[in-house]
Amino acid sequence: MTKPNPKATLASPLTLACGISIPNRIAKSAMSEQLADRHGSPTTDLQQLYAAWARGGAGLLITGNVMIDHCAFVEPRNVVLDSAEFLQANKLWAQAAKANGSKIIMQINHPGRVAVLPLLKKPIGPSAVGLDLPAMNIIRIPRAMTEAEIYEQINRFAQTARLAIEAGFDGVQVHAAHGYLLSQFLSPLANVRTDKWGGSPENRRCMLIETVQAVRAAIGKEKILSVKLNSADFQKGGLSQEESIDIALALEAEGIDLLEISGGNYESPAQLGYAPDRSAQRDAYFIDYATALRKQSKLPLMLTGGLRDVDFMNHIVANGTVDLVGLARPFAVQPDLAKQLLAGKSVLKPAKIPAIGYKPVDAYLQLAWHASQFRRISSGQQPKEIKGLVRTLIAFGPRMGFNILTQD
């Protein structure tokens, strides 16, 4: 167990095992910006958004989804980095994010069965099991991957990681949470395979472990290798907290530099505060998991989800429960949030975002509302509250439709 360090605060630097030092303990966690061009190249808007967050004082910036395969998108206008074609644009993105001393790592991902695009192509997944959501369990049933395809995607994770380092990023984060491909392999609900990639907990984590090994070989020991992992899927029969802790310990044995703790997926979006049996007012959605894991592990931990009180953040850093605090949505309304936290000010009371009471749709409305703020920040404007369901849909819906139809 990591020893408490009463002198550690949010302002303290953190040196990871790879040797890279993060200037403070505040991280901007990943949010899907949807600010690439139609081909998947980072845009000037994306550069300007990250430059604003860097000026805001965050020690670590983690990008939103960067796709490892141009044939599978989480959302339209995601960045794609599967070849050197857009390397120069990615270099400019990294430079903008690092201009004020922040470190930046690229979150690399494959959507698996939840791919939005291509619309007319059957998505892939560990098994032919669709999402337990209306229509999605009929019209988007994935095709079970062959072993050759599993190795192809492992190699793609490694290729994107190598290119990210070439572009000047300080490392990568392998996304194994929120119901995307690697998270699907970990889930007993999504992965019902009977070969070496499914069945037992050890087999279900095999793709993640082999991906981490391939990525480490691609980036070397002197760059940050992070993994984002669900503390649980918050679904009956899904990934449990007990099994997730075993996965975290296996990742520690592989020598990763940082584990980001999250939770939930499209069917149960706990990462947005919609977990069952949990008070929506509670600070730090996944603190119980972090506390339990810390008793068994010295792995540097980053906790994301629901953190709002600055005194609580300083407390969990000082007592050694976590090493970094991650915040996402608050950065969409307070680009200088890190400076505010370092000055001892808690996160502002969140804006009221429209909701209809159905979790998957409410999660989409969250995405739409915050994406509209990204566009304002990237154009040099201040974030501005969008009031009402209709205005939120108008601000994002037509753009999403256009982006889907025109994505290359």
Side-chain angles (χ1 to χ4, degrees):
M1 177 176 172
T2 298
K3 294 181 180 179
N5 181 1
K7 294 182 180 179
T9 68
L10 293 179
S12 303
L14 174 67
T15 300
L16 299 175
C18 63
I20 291 177
S21 183
I22 298 169
N24 61 54
R25 304 299 182 96
I26 302 168
K28 194 285 295 178
S29 188
M31 294 177 282
S32 186
E33 312 93 357
Q34 299 183 53
L35 287 175
D37 68 17
R38 61 186 293 265
H39 308 290
S41 177
T43 58
T44 302
D45 285 341
L46 198 54
Q47 297 167 24
Q48 292 173 341
L49 176 62
Y50 275 78
W53 281 331
R55 290 193 299 271
L60 179 66
L61 298 171
I62 304 177
T63 74
N65 289 304
V66 172
M67 300 294 94
I68 64 169
D69 186 345
H70 66 279
C71 294
F73 284 77
V74 173
E75 295 111 1
R77 301 303 192 267
N78 286 147
V79 173
V80 183
L81 185 58
D82 60 358
S83 72
E85 182 179 3
F86 305 134
L87 197 60
Q88 181 57 33
N90 278 277
K91 287 181 178 179
L92 294 174
W93 185 15
Q95 288 170 9
K98 295 169 70 171
N100 283 59
S102 299
K103 304 299 181 184
I104 183 168
I105 60 177
M106 179 182 285
Q107 184 185 80
I108 57 178
N109 192 16
H110 189 293
R113 68 177 181 171
V114 299
V116 168
L117 295 171
L119 274 177
L120 302 179
K121 183 179 179 182
K122 205 175 189 63
I124 59 173
S127 303
V129 178
L131 287 175
D132 186 18
L133 291 173
M136 293 297 288
N137 57 4
I138 299 173
I139 63 174
R140 293 294 278 177
I141 301 294
R143 177 177 58 78
M145 297 168 69
T146 65
E147 186 164 65
E149 288 173 322
I150 291 173
Y151 280 116
E152 176 192 350
Q153 297 305 331
I154 290 172
N155 290 335
R156 284 183 175 277
F157 272 102
Q159 166 77 346
T160 298
R162 182 187 64 78
L163 290 168
I165 299 307
E166 190 175 342
F169 287 81
D170 295 298
V172 296
Q173 180 179 79
V174 174
H175 200 336
H178 299 175
Y180 298 119
L181 182 63
L182 293 176
S183 179
Q184 291 159 30
F185 269 87
L186 296 175
S187 167
L189 296 176
N191 181 355
V192 295
R193 300 177 74 99
T194 57
D195 58 6
K196 68 166 280 190
W197 307 97
S200 69
E202 293 76 17
N203 284 3
R204 280 187 279 105
R205 78 181 67 138
C206 188
M207 186 178 184
L208 172 58
I209 296 301
E210 292 202 20
T211 297
V212 164
Q213 292 170 345
V215 167
R216 176 60 85 190
I219 70 174
K221 295 181 178 180
E222 296 180 351
K223 297 297 179 181
I224 299 171
L225 173 49
S226 171
V227 172
K228 187 166 191 169
L229 182 68
N230 272 1
S231 57
D233 287 344
F234 296 93
Q235 288 177 282
K236 186 177 180 180
L239 181 71
S240 67
Q241 176 169 310
E242 293 73 24
E243 186 177 332
S244 178
I245 286 177
D246 289 340
I247 296 167
L249 295 174
L251 291 169
E252 182 176 25
E254 292 296 330
I256 71 167
D257 297 291
L258 179 67
L259 181 74
E260 182 181 1
I261 301 164
S262 189
N265 53 38
Y266 281 51
E267 296 149 304
S268 181
Q271 71 277 19
L272 297 176
Y274 299 126
D277 303 321
R278 187 195 57 75
S279 167
Q281 283 71 46
R282 174 175 163 183
D283 208 15
Y285 302 156
F286 313 114
I287 187 66
D288 291 346
Y289 176 93
T291 302
L293 177 58
R294 179 53 79 217
K295 292 177 181 177
Q296 303 182 53
S297 172
K298 295 181 180 179
L299 183 62
L301 301 178
M302 173 178 159
L303 181 65
T304 301
L307 288 163
R308 299 295 182 264
D309 182 78
V310 69
D311 292 333
F312 180 76
M313 296 180 212
N314 276 304
H315 172 69
I316 60 176
V317 167
N319 71 12
T321 301
V322 301
D323 303 276
L324 284 168
V325 297
L327 299 100
R329 290 172 291 169
F331 273 99
V333 292
Q334 291 180 263
D336 66 343
L337 176 62
K339 286 184 177 179
Q340 299 300 319
L341 293 172
L342 292 171
K345 299 177 183 178
S346 294
V347 178
L348 294 177
K349 184 178 179 180
K352 185 174 178 58
I353 298 173
I356 65 169
Y358 179 52
K359 294 175 185 177
V361 173
D362 290 346
Y364 169 80
L365 290 171
Q366 290 262 356
L367 174 73
W369 195 96
H370 289 91
S372 297
Q373 306 306 324
F374 299 153
R375 292 196 299 275
R376 292 185 63 85
I377 297 169
S378 68
S379 63
Q381 298 175 288
Q382 288 298 311
K384 182 180 179 181
E385 184 173 354
I386 305 170
K387 296 182 178 180
L389 176 63
V390 173
R391 288 184 179 180
T392 299
L393 291 173
I394 291 173
F396 192 72
R399 181 184 293 268
M400 172 69 92
F402 175 81
N403 288 347
I404 288 174
L405 292 174
T406 58
Q407 184 71 48
D408 186 14

